[in-house]
Structures are given as C-alpha cells and as structure tokens.
Amino acid sequence: MEKFQMLFPSSSSSSSAHHQYYDDDHHHNSINFLSSSSSPPSSTSMNDGPSMMTMGSSAADHDYHHHHQISTNNDDGRHQEQVVSVAMGQPGAADQGDGGKKKKGEKKVKKPRYAFQTRSQVDILDDGYRWRKYGQKAVKNNKFPRSYYRCTYQGCNVKKQIQRLTKDEGVVVTTYEGAHTHPIERPSDNFEHILNQMQIYTPF
DNA sequence: CGGCTTTGACCAGCGC
DNA sequence: GCGCTGGTCAAAGCCG
C-alpha cells in the first residue's frame, strides 16, 4: 500500500475507507481492477524490476483487463467526483528517475500504473499536484481523446493519463504512472474526500 | 514574458 | 516487412 500513500497522500488515515455504495442502476459492487501491462514475463526473462508491491502478488500474472463496473452513485447524482473503481498495473520498479528514458538498446522498464475511475463532469481532477499537458491522442474504440499530463515538479517524472469513457461519458479514467517524490503542492480537501470513498480491491 | 496548451510529427512496440 | 496504435516531442500559439 505504500504506493498509494505516495500517490495519494491522504492525511487523515484514521477512518479507513468507510464507504457506502448504492446500487443505483444495475450494477453490483465490484471494482474495476485492470492491470495495464502489455508484456507477459516470457519475453526476456521475467518482468523487470523487483515486484515489491504488497498487493501485487497476484497481478504479476494478470495482464488482462478485468472489467467489473461499479456504480457508486449516491442517492442523488451529485456533481462531486466519485471514485468508482481502482486499478493498478504490473508490479515493478516504481522508479521515475531512470525509467523514463526510452533510449534504444536499453531494456525498457515498465512502470506500474494505477488507474481509477471517477464519476465527474470535469476531466481534470484536482489532486493537488500541478500537471502540464504534453500530449493528446485519439484512442481506438473511444470517441474521446486521451490526454497526457506530466508533473511539473523539478525532477518528478510522474505522469498521468486522463480519458473519458465512451460508454459512460460521466466516467473519467485517470491513470497514474510513477510516484511523486515531493510533497503535495496544493492541499486538496476535495481529493481527500475522494479517498474516503475509495476502496481498494485486492482479488487475492 | 513565462508557463501552459495545442497539435502535427515522430518513434517504438506489436500483430498480421 | 508493413501498417496500426499508443506514447512522446517540440514548435507555435494562447493567456494570465
């Protein structure tokens, strides 16, 4: 869980995720757990990097996308963002200092990704950090483009992608890559409120 | 004027 | 090998 604390520095960890899910439409309570790695560990020797993720004991073999939609709508569809699912990528070195280079000849180091879905009207979730957009691409099977952001802190190579679902355009998928090595720049109580609603699901 | 967004080009991985 | 797709670069433009 260390990674999540580094990514989402929730201050008050007193009340662990106590949350209330209301099955509003037709879905049941589950977590969209997707591991966004693309190479099974058969290519070179193993998945690069020590898998020190505490919860990553299972995800080492899973590189498929499990889709279990969850609806965490409150009784009224309030305008505030709501985390509807959490996902994480392949466990590996959570480095962001040397892994960013993509020079040819070097072995690529896949960094883990942590994705979660929020139900929000705005694409840009204010998580307290400052991001600079560096790209936008149209993805297949999706009518909304995917935006690429990078943390503007000096030496911090944390990246994130923001994509809105075609299926449910009220859902925004945010994918984090890397971990911040600096304190949060702007405290956000709102994001902490999101954290209180977030439930991390470990399938094993 | 500085920081950020926009946007087309470029590149690498992967499947056929 | 080739084309597709995702990810990044970087020049230009925008905006406070």
Side-chain angles (χ1 to χ4, degrees), chain A residues 6-202:
Chain A
M6 293 169 67
L7 286 172
F8 317 123
S10 67
S11 59
S12 68
S13 63
S14 61
S15 68
S16 60
H18 81 274
H19 39 270
Q20 290 183 352
Y21 291 152
Y22 291 99
D23 198 358
D24 186 48
D25 291 333
H26 46 281
H27 297 111
H28 39 277
N29 296 340
S30 61
I31 288 291
N32 182 11
F33 192 97
L34 55 93
S35 60
S36 59
S37 66
S38 60
S39 69
S42 63
S43 58
T44 53
S45 61
M46 66 202 99
N47 42 3
D48 28 32
S51 63
M52 69 295 198
M53 291 300 294
T54 51
M55 65 183 107
S57 60
S58 65
D61 296 331
H62 297 73
D63 54 351
Y64 301 111
H65 289 50
H66 308 284
H67 250 274
H68 303 292
Q69 186 71 30
I70 180 174
S71 70
T72 59
N73 296 328
N74 276 334
D75 38 9
D76 53 350
R78 60 179 59 188
H79 59 281
Q80 191 172 9
E81 301 87 5
Q82 292 181 344
V83 174
V84 294
S85 66
V86 177
M88 61 170 290
Q90 177 179 357
D95 51 347
Q96 61 266 4
D98 50 23
K101 298 301 180 184
K102 56 177 186 297
K103 302 179 73 70
K104 59 182 179 181
E106 291 185 1
K107 59 179 180 180
K108 58 183 178 182
V109 178
K110 281 185 166 48
K111 288 182 290 188
R113 290 180 178 179
Y114 315 94
F116 61 91
Q117 297 181 358
T118 59
R119 185 172 291 276
S120 171
Q121 292 179 345
V122 295
D123 292 346
I124 312 300
L125 274 68
D126 188 8
D127 51 3
Y129 292 98
R130 298 184 65 87
W131 302 93
R132 179 177 60 249
K133 188 174 184 177
Y134 68 92
Q136 175 174 308
K137 286 288 289 187
V139 292
K140 199 177 181 182
N141 299 326
N142 226 330
K143 64 180 180 181
F144 298 106
R146 177 184 300 162
S147 297
Y148 298 92
Y149 294 88
R150 183 170 298 187
C151 186
T152 59
Y153 192 85
Q154 174 69 27
C156 183
N157 293 321
V158 175
K159 288 175 283 189
K160 74 173 181 180
Q161 305 175 3
I162 292 178
Q163 182 179 6
R164 193 173 286 274
L165 291 182
T166 302
K167 178 70 186 305
D168 188 358
E169 61 180 270
V171 173
V172 176
V173 180
T174 304
T175 304
Y176 285 88
E177 178 175 330
H180 295 281
T181 59
H182 55 95
I184 197 166
E185 300 185 15
R186 178 156 41 107
S188 174
D189 293 337
N190 185 30
F191 190 71
E192 184 174 355
H193 181 259
I194 294 174
L195 281 169
N196 290 332
Q197 299 182 6
M198 188 164 70
Q199 182 186 23
I200 300 170
Y201 172 68
T202 56

